[in-house]
Amino acid sequence: WIETELPANGTYTILVQPQGRNTGSITLTLSPTVIGTITLGGPSVPVSILRVGQQARLTFSGSAGQRVSLGMTGVTLGTSWCCGSQVFIRKLDGTDVGWSWAGTRWGWIETQLPASETYVVVVRPESTNTGNITLTLSETVTGTITIGGPSVPVTITRFGQHARVTFNGTAGQRLRLRMSDVTIGTWCCGTRVHILKPDGSILAIRVVGTDGGDLNPPALPVNGTYVVLIQPESTNTGGITLTLS
């Protein structure tokens, strides 16, 4: 596929240029890109891609430092549960600030916007896939928690929305993160809860259901700001209470 913006009115030429000594045939399908808009915190937007090689571009306005979560559901682009389409969040200059596969199961992106400007969500089906996808764009839920401090309730109300709760830690500290009052998903496996190191890599992870549980990470490796990342599975929403000791 090629996706581009035409610079002027006029007649254009498609040049097919085989590599090396290759011969054979090729089928070309030329389509308008699907264009639309999506709003942070606004309604979900259904997108239909009906032609082979067609892509979609939905623009939105964002602010520097803003963390956003993009959920993808109702995906019928291909038959793969994991990877029927690629989805990107991009600056208008083409720089990617986040991307993910989307399959018939679901998909999501969580990222931080680098500048106050217009961004674009690009949907790019793989192979000859066509079909539908519904996009939901939300601000990431943010907060703080203190080791030995009060419990912190977190509520996730929109599909694909994530939560990031930060805390300060010291190298060598050993912690326990208790998760209770969980209403996200089922008893066994409604959401993933990560503890991220200051560099963003994963220190510990656990899948938690409505029965709750504890996450006991290894000793903290460095001084700095850590993140508890809450990442609901599927289309789950609901609440969870965090206690850090």
Side-chain angles (χ1 to χ4, degrees):
W1 39 252
I2 299 171
E3 198 274 339
T4 190
E5 182 176 345
L6 303 181
N9 297 340
T11 300
Y12 290 80
T13 299
I14 298 171
L15 173 65
V16 180
Q17 191 173 56
Q19 295 296 301
R21 302 172 67 180
N22 292 338
T23 60
S25 60
I26 185 171
T27 299
L28 304 176
T29 306
L30 185 63
S31 311
T33 299
V34 177
I35 300 295
T37 61
I38 192 168
T39 305
L40 267 170
S44 300
V45 177
V47 176
S48 293
I49 295 176
L50 304 178
R51 292 168 60 83
V52 172
Q54 194 173 35
Q55 299 185 33
R57 296 171 64 90
L58 279 69
T59 55
F60 69 93
S61 297
S63 301
Q66 199 169 30
R67 296 206 72 96
V68 301
S69 303
L70 179 69
M72 310 156 211
T73 187
V75 184
T76 62
L77 296 165
T79 58
S80 170
W81 68 269
C82 68
C83 38
S85 178
Q86 293 185 68
V87 180
F88 304 82
I89 296 177
R90 284 182 175 162
K91 300 175 69 174
L92 291 184
D93 67 5
T95 303
D96 292 337
V97 299
W99 84 277
S100 174
W101 291 104
T104 55
R105 192 180 181 199
W106 73 81
W108 32 250
I109 299 170
E110 199 278 334
T111 191
Q112 186 172 31
L113 304 181
S116 297
E117 58 184 82
T118 299
Y119 293 83
V120 60
V121 178
V122 178
V123 181
R124 179 189 291 166
E126 290 291 288
S127 185
T128 58
N129 292 342
T130 59
N132 304 303
I133 184 171
T134 296
L135 305 174
T136 306
L137 186 63
S138 311
E139 287 197 67
T140 300
V141 176
T142 58
T144 60
I145 192 169
T146 304
I147 299 171
S151 300
V152 174
V154 177
T155 303
I156 292 174
T157 59
R158 292 167 59 83
F159 165 69
Q161 192 173 38
H162 294 181
R164 297 173 67 94
V165 181
T166 59
F167 66 91
N168 292 321
T170 303
Q173 272 185 305
R174 298 198 69 91
L175 307 176
R176 180 180 67 182
L177 178 67
R178 171 151 291 180
M179 295 153 283
S180 59
D181 301 323
V182 183
T183 60
I184 302 172
T186 63
W187 69 271
C188 68
C189 40
T191 185
R192 301 182 206 175
V193 178
H194 312 66
I195 296 178
L196 305 182
K197 302 175 190 177
D199 65 2
S201 61
I202 296 174
L203 176 66
I205 181 173
R206 177 172 174 175
V207 176
V208 179
T210 54
D211 59 343
D214 292 340
L215 181 55
N216 298 291
L220 302 185
V222 295
N223 298 342
T225 300
Y226 291 77
V227 176
V228 180
L229 173 63
I230 301 167
Q231 198 173 62
E233 296 281 284
S234 184
T235 57
N236 292 338
T237 59
I240 185 172
T241 296
L242 307 175
T243 307
L244 189 59
S245 308

